[in-house]
């Protein structure tokens, strides 16, 4: 294998790793957002876990955070506005990335 091929493989592997880590961070963030929102909604026990999964699934509707924000804003109407939700998602994303780095 030539040096060029080795470099190409290294870049492909790094890209795949970075994409996987980004997906894990967003999924972890969405789970944490579900926990946060469930608390605001007064959910407990198994209802919290079920709601976390609803929030995670909502992220598969379209690229970006708008689908998650829309779901949370609709569910949290009167309890949290869109700006608060976006700020919470940003905060939780930082936490999720840090957790993954610590685990890695």
């Amino acid at each position: 294998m030539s040096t060029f091929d080795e470099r190409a493989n290294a870049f492909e592997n790094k890209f795949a790793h970075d994409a996987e880590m980004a997906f894990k961070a967003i999924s972890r963030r969405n789970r944490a957002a579900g926990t946060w929102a469930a608390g605001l909604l007064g959910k407990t026990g198994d209802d919290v876990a079920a709601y976390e999964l609803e929030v995670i699934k909502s992220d598969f509707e379209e690229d970006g955070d708008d689908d998650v924000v829309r779901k949370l804003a609709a569910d949290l109407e009167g309890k949290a506005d869109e700006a608060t939700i976006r700020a919470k998602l940003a905060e939780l994303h930082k936490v999720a990335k840090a957790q993954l780095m610590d685990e890695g």
Side-chain angles (χ1 to χ4, degrees):
M1 183 177 282
S2 71
T3 302
F4 179 77
D5 291 334
E6 290 173 5
R7 290 181 93 192
N9 283 338
F11 282 120
E12 288 175 12
N13 289 339
K14 182 179 180 340
F15 179 81
H17 177 264
D18 291 349
E20 179 183 1
M21 294 303 285
F23 176 79
K24 286 180 178 181
I26 290 171
S27 293
R28 189 174 289 210
R29 177 209 66 187
N30 290 343
R31 181 177 299 277
T35 303
W36 168 74
L40 292 176
L41 294 169
K43 295 181 182 288
T44 59
D46 290 340
D47 291 339
V48 173
Y51 189 73
E52 290 169 349
L53 290 176
E54 285 181 36
V55 174
I56 291 169
K57 288 178 185 177
S58 74
D59 194 26
F60 296 116
E61 293 174 14
E62 62 187 48
D63 285 339
D65 295 336
D66 289 342
D67 44 3
V68 175
V69 171
R70 239 186 342 268
K71 181 195 184 7
L72 291 172
D75 292 349
L76 295 174
E77 189 174 340
K79 296 182 183 348
D81 62 7
E82 185 176 327
T84 302
I85 292 166
R86 287 188 184 278
K88 191 65 171 178
L89 288 176
E91 172 192 330
L92 293 172
H93 192 97
K94 289 178 187 176
V95 171
K97 286 171 48 175
Q99 288 173 346
L100 288 170
M101 294 298 286
D102 289 345
E103 292 172 7

